[in-house]
Amino acid sequence: MTITLIDNINIEVVNGDITRQPDCDAIVNAANAQLKSGGGVAGAVHRIGDPDLEERTRKFAPIKTGEAVITSAPNFPNKYIIHCLGPVYGKDKPEDQFLKSCYTNALKLADDNELQSIAFPAISTGIFGYPVEDAAKVAAEVFKAVAPGLTCITIIRMVLWSKEDCTIHNEVFKSILS
Ligand code: AR6
């Protein structure tokens, strides 16, 4: 599904793998504080990028909840990887503010680096336990709020690993962004 926001910014929702988005300038990693390999997205990203990727992330670690850092993307077709540390649901409160910071900081980094396209996984909704529908609302609200201030980004893609999460994002994004 694609929704066109103001100023020709397209929001896309797709079912797929964040490591297989060759047409995006940057992909986002749902990272851990140490910016190392782990489960889920971080595992998939580092399996492809390491050892070079860990060499690039090392100097930024540890990062704080809600923070985002940008590195090159060794072994990927993308130019950059933006690493975000999402909140652990039930622990890092208020969770919605931390999650909002992740999306806002990642978009700002991408735009400051003059990127046109960025792909996000559903940060915090795996191992960190954030309910998918609530997390989708946070992402959509950030896209709506931040879009008018972006100068370079024209494509923001949400890449959902499961069909069910994709359906939930389609519904939430339609109601907030259409
Ligand atoms: N492409 C897109 N989405 C994916 C992929 C993939 N290849 N793999 C999983 N997902 P998670 P978090 C979905 O756990 O909750 C790690 O161990 C997944 O179904 O990757 O932010 C790190 O080291 C879920 O919907 O990230 C951290 O310690 C979403 O991506 C911790 O987990 C996020 O799941 C971060 O937890």
Side-chain angles (χ1 to χ4, degrees):
M1 181 190 78
T2 301
I3 297 173
T4 301
L5 278 182
I6 47 132
D7 296 336
N8 291 328
I9 296 179
N10 282 338
I11 310 290
E12 301 176 355
V13 179
V14 303
N15 180 208
D17 183 341
I18 193 69
T19 67
R20 292 169 188 266
Q21 306 300 320
D23 56 333
C24 282
D25 293 329
I27 59 165
V28 173
N29 177 18
N32 50 66
Q34 297 304 324
L35 299 173
K36 289 187 174 177
S37 187
V41 172
V45 166
H46 280 272
R47 259 195 301 282
I48 294 170
D50 281 353
D52 291 355
L53 182 59
E54 204 198 313
E55 205 171 283
R56 285 160 178 71
T57 55
R58 196 176 298 140
K59 67 170 187 255
F60 295 109
I63 61 167
K64 296 193 182 91
T65 307
E67 213 179 320
V69 298
I70 188 166
T71 67
S72 61
N75 305 331
F76 282 86
N78 319 93
K79 290 186 197 147
Y80 297 100
I81 300 176
I82 296 177
H83 309 261
C84 289
L85 179 59
V88 176
Y89 198 77
K91 178 173 165 266
D92 298 320
K93 292 172 189 276
E95 293 96 335
D96 60 334
Q97 291 304 315
F98 282 120
L99 191 59
K100 190 176 159 191
S101 294
C102 284
Y103 282 101
T104 307
N105 289 332
L107 283 173
K108 186 168 165 25
L109 268 180
D111 208 49
D112 288 350
N113 281 275
E114 302 183 342
L115 309 187
Q116 294 187 342
S117 49
I118 180 169
F120 285 94
I123 301 167
S124 281
T125 66
I127 290 159
F128 284 176
Y130 209 119
V132 174
E133 190 176 340
D134 294 346
K137 283 181 191 160
V138 172
E141 295 288 2
V142 171
F143 298 161
K144 193 175 179 177
V146 171
L150 297 173
T151 55
C152 299
I153 299 281
T154 58
I155 295 172
I156 302 173
R157 182 178 299 160
M158 284 298 300
V159 181
L160 292 318
W161 186 240
S162 74
K163 286 218 170 83
E164 196 188 335
D165 288 355
C166 190
T167 304
I168 293 169
H169 278 74
N170 276 326
E171 295 304 318
V172 169
F173 276 43
K174 251 186 262 167
S175 77
I176 294 178
L177 301 175
S178 291

